[in-house]
Every structure is written in C-alpha cells, then in structure tokens.
Amino acid sequence: MTETTQTQTAPDDAFRPYIPRSPEYRAAMEALSGLRQDLFHDAFAYRPLPPKTIGGPLGGRLSGRVRTYKAWSRHIVVAAAGVAAMLLAMANDEGGATGAMCGLLALAPVLLTLVRPVGALWLSFAATSATAVLTSYFSAWPWSPGSFLSHLTVLTVVAVRTRPRTAGWMWLLTAAYGFAAQAVSGWDHYGGDTSPMLVLSALALLAVTVWHIRRDAKQEVTAQQTETAHERSRRTLLEERTTIARELHDVVAHHMSVVAIQAEAAPYRVENPPPELEKAFVTIRENAVAALTELRRVLGVVRAEDYEAPDAPQPTLADLDALLANVREAGLTVDKVVTGAVRELPQGVELSAYRIVQEALSNTLRHAPGATSRVELGYVLGGLGLRIVNGPAAHVPLTKSTHGAGHGITGMRERVSMLGGEMTAGETADGGYEVTVFLPVATAEDAA
C-alpha cells in the first residue's frame, strides 16, 4: 500500500503581516483608482453621440427637414464651436501651411468629442503642445487663442457626456498641464493664460455639474412618482376588491341563511316525511351553516380592524330615487330614464348597479360642477344596461378636486368584471363624460 501526502503551498502574501492603512491613504488610493477608471481605462473607446429623440406634441408638428435638424442639433453646435476655434487659430497664426495645421489641430479634438469623448481630452493636450511649437504667438502661453477655445469646448462637451467626477479630474489635469508648461517654457512669453483657462473652465464645468445633478434628481423624482402612482393604484384596487367582498358577503350570507332556515322548517310542512327526505334536509342545513362559517372566516381576513358592519341593508335599484334626490340637493341636475320591463334582479347585480351609478354621479359632482346628467337603465332579456352621461361643467373649478384619488373608474371596472359584464368610459364630443355598462343576468333556461 502506498500512502500519498499532498501539500498545499500558501500564497506569498499569506505570511505578510497586516499593515493598517490610514484613512488618508485609502482616500488617495480610491482617488487614483477613480482617475484611472475615468480618464485612462478605455480612453479611446467608441461612444458616438446619438441624435436627440424628438417627441411630444411639439415634435409631431415639425416638418421632416426641421425634425432632422433638431435631432442633430447637438452635433451641429459642437461642430460650429470647432469651426470657430479653427478660424480663430488660423487668424492668429502666420497663415499658409502652418496656419492650416494649427486650425486642424484646434478642430480635431472638438470633433472627436462626438465619438470618443475621453480620448478627445488627451488629443486636446497633444494638439495644444503641437500648436505651441508651431505658432509664433507669444502674447499667451501655453494656449493660443484657437487652442484656448478648442480646449474649453472639449472640457465642456466631455463633462456633459460623462459625469461630475470626470469633470473634476479634467480640471485638475488642465491646471497641472498649464502650470507645468508655464514653468518649463513660459519664460520667453509675455504672459500665461493658465489662470483665465482655469477660471472659465471652472465656471463651465460647474454649470455642467449643476445640470447633471438637476437631471439626475428629476429622473429620480419621476421614477418615484411613477412608482408611487402605481402603488396607489394597486392599493386602491385592493381596497375596492375588499369593499366588494364585504358587500357580497352580506348578500350571500342572507341567501344562505334563508336556505338553512327553509331546510330546517321543510320537514315540518310535510306530514309523515320519509327518513330519506328528513336526512336530505338536515344535510342541506348543515352545508348551509358550514358555508356561512367559512364566509365569516374568509371575510375576517380582508376586514380591517376598525371596520364596522353597516346597520342598514345593502342598497338596491329601488333606492336609486333617494340617491338621485341627494345628488340634486348637492346642485347636480340629473334625470332618470328607465326602459324595458322593470323586474327584480339578483341582489349582487342590483348592488353593483347602484354603486356604479353612485360613483359615476360622484365623479360628475367633483369634476364637472353644475353640469347636467342623465341616468339610463335598460332592462333587457339578457341583463341590465346602464348609461350615465353628463355634459360639460358649467364653470371650471379653481382647484382640482383630489377627493377619491381619481380611481372611481377602477372600482366600477372591478364590479363589472366580477359579474362578467362589459364597460366603456370616456369623454363625449361636447366635453362631457359617459359611462356605459352592461351586466348580464342568467335567465331561467340558462340556469337550468
């Protein structure tokens, strides 16, 4: 038997003693890491500036050529700034081939910001140095007028296309380059322009940084508002479903109680009922009582702790006249039109129809004060049709009503969907609003 022993070699740094690092050292290393990440890592990566997205009502009215110009407006502005720097460089140089070369050196970094923004910064430093060697402009150092405008444009565009931390690094590099150039070769020039460059670039980068912060804050607020609106809508939907569940509990519990009572009293109405019949009625009653118990248990899950059951019975379409009278007292002119043969409908259908009319009229009071309204009920063979329509508001309210959170339509749709009906809601041609609902009711033949 051969025994094999394997040994693992510890890495070299496993035996190095732990050296505590000061907060200053860690901050410096993090700063150098940020500098490397922002200005050295993939500095010449291809990142083209996309055209602007033209949307909204104003963008839809623009013609094709104007829309194209607006989409490429940022590129046009940057190119115009580059051309201005080129012309300024050519005007302040000797002309000829040297002036043309200086003009191209001022134009190239500005145009490069449209496709390789960070690389354009390094090209601007190189172009500034090359221009300083070629030019005979001695009144400023190290930036000639064309290079000055070109580098300032590059700083601004790169700051817009990156982030505030990159803008800070660019400003520090510009300061280091300017002071180093003045210290090395500025002795034979009349004056240096590093200080004006730093002041103007600081103002430009500060403005860009403020723009970045405002844009990010606006995006965050918009995202939070969207999420809040979604959560509010979801909460309203759940609350409406809970309300419907409570109301239907009363309806179903009433019918189940009637079934239980009738099943208990039925054997006494028949003389000498057979045992099988008595047993069947006992089973019916037991099932009805068990169903009532389960209903109460389920309702306890969705019922709020502070909820108090209403003392009055649930309303039906027979109580609609009282509702219309209350609405008229509130200042709304409303008419009622009934077509078809009026008949008693299932209690759940009548309750939902009453609540839909109530919510529609409440919306009219809130959003169209002083308008005229009409409630139409159509009793047809397959169910019940509802139409609640109002005209435009008699006067525009000074403040928009926030009562109800604008989710009344959601509750209507939930009730209609629960009964398998259909609903449409929207503005009318005259500026009013219309809600149309159909609630199906099964006939005797369908139930059989």
Side-chain angles (χ1 to χ4, degrees):
M1 178 181 294
T2 301
E3 181 178 354
T4 303
T5 304
Q6 295 182 353
T7 59
Q8 295 182 353
T9 303
D12 295 338
D13 57 354
F15 300 100
R16 293 177 182 176
Y18 171 73
I19 301 176
R21 304 296 186 184
S22 64
E24 293 80 5
Y25 176 83
R26 290 196 298 268
M29 295 305 296
E30 291 177 359
L32 292 177
S33 176
L35 173 63
R36 182 172 61 253
Q37 180 68 26
D38 293 339
L39 296 181
F40 290 94
H41 182 68
D42 291 335
F44 286 87
Y46 182 66
R47 293 174 50 202
L49 178 65
K52 293 175 61 177
T53 302
I54 308 301
L58 181 59
R61 299 190 184 97
L62 299 178
S63 61
R65 179 173 297 181
V66 176
R67 181 189 296 268
T68 302
Y69 288 154
K70 188 173 180 60
W72 294 94
S73 60
R74 296 180 297 185
H75 302 73
I76 296 174
V77 171
V78 173
V83 171
M86 180 184 68
L87 296 177
L88 186 60
M90 295 174 63
N92 287 275
D93 285 317
E94 296 177 349
T98 303
M101 181 62 67
C102 292
L104 291 178
L105 289 174
L107 175 63
V110 178
L111 295 182
L112 190 63
T113 59
L114 298 175
V115 289
R116 304 181 192 275
V118 179
L121 174 68
W122 299 112
L123 181 60
S124 179
F125 284 129
T128 299
S129 302
T131 302
V133 173
L134 295 175
T135 186
S136 58
Y137 192 81
F138 289 95
S139 62
W141 179 263
W143 284 280
S144 65
S147 298
F148 190 98
L149 178 59
S150 175
H151 189 73
L152 188 60
T153 304
V154 169
L155 291 178
T156 304
V157 176
V158 175
V160 170
R161 297 202 58 195
T162 54
R163 53 182 176 176
R165 189 178 71 177
T166 306
W169 288 123
M170 291 191 301
W171 189 85
L172 290 177
L173 287 178
T174 299
Y177 173 84
F179 289 129
Q182 284 188 348
V184 172
S185 302
W187 58 271
D188 56 347
H189 291 78
Y190 296 114
D193 54 1
T194 300
S195 297
M197 170 62 74
L198 294 181
V199 172
L200 292 178
S201 61
L203 294 176
L205 296 180
L206 179 61
V208 173
T209 301
V210 172
W211 174 79
H212 272 294
I213 294 174
R214 286 177 57 88
R215 184 193 61 177
D216 295 342
K218 184 177 180 180
Q219 291 177 351
E220 183 177 356
V221 170
T222 302
Q224 291 179 353
Q225 289 178 344
T226 303
E227 183 178 359
T228 302
H230 177 72
E231 292 297 330
R232 186 186 299 114
S233 178
R234 180 179 177 83
R235 184 175 65 250
T236 303
L237 181 62
L238 295 177
E239 291 175 353
E240 188 64 32
R241 289 180 177 177
T242 302
T243 302
I244 294 173
R246 294 168 183 163
E247 294 178 347
L248 289 183
H249 165 267
D250 298 336
V251 175
V252 177
H254 168 73
H255 291 293
M256 295 301 294
S257 300
V258 173
V259 170
I261 294 173
Q262 290 180 344
E264 184 178 7
Y268 299 102
R269 297 185 179 184
V270 181
E271 186 176 356
N272 298 323
E276 294 82 2
L277 183 61
E278 292 183 351
K279 183 177 180 180
F281 280 120
V282 170
T283 302
I284 293 174
R285 182 182 181 281
E286 291 176 352
N287 288 333
V289 172
L292 280 172
T293 303
E294 291 299 325
L295 274 175
R296 295 189 182 97
R297 184 179 295 114
V298 172
L299 186 66
V301 176
V302 298
R303 190 187 299 275
E305 296 181 358
D306 56 349
Y307 174 77
E308 296 182 0
D311 298 332
Q314 296 292 350
T316 63
L317 291 177
D319 303 310
L320 195 58
D321 291 335
L323 172 64
L324 299 182
N326 291 334
V327 172
R328 292 188 184 102
E329 292 179 358
L332 181 66
T333 303
V334 56
D335 297 326
K336 174 185 172 184
V337 178
V338 180
T339 58
V342 179
R343 65 184 186 277
E344 184 178 357
L345 300 175
Q347 191 170 358
V349 175
E350 295 219 0
L351 173 60
S352 295
Y354 179 91
R355 294 300 188 197
I356 291 172
V357 174
Q358 184 182 41
E359 184 61 37
L361 294 178
S362 298
N363 287 340
T364 302
L365 283 172
R366 286 194 295 266
H367 304 295
T372 59
S373 181
R374 185 170 69 257
V375 177
E376 300 178 2
L377 286 78
Y379 290 84
V380 295
L381 183 61
L384 174 68
L386 294 174
R387 181 172 180 264
I388 306 97
V389 60
N390 63 269
H395 55 86
V396 179
L398 297 179
T399 58
K400 184 178 179 181
S401 174
T402 58
H403 179 68
H407 296 286
I409 299 296
T410 302
M412 297 184 199
R413 293 191 187 279
E414 281 298 306
R415 293 181 181 276
V416 174
S417 176
M418 175 192 64
L419 296 174
E422 299 178 358
M423 171 180 166
T424 59
E427 295 185 359
T428 59
D430 61 351
Y433 204 83
E434 177 180 353
V435 177
T436 305
V437 175
F438 177 76
L439 302 177
V441 177
T443 61
E445 291 79 3
D446 297 335

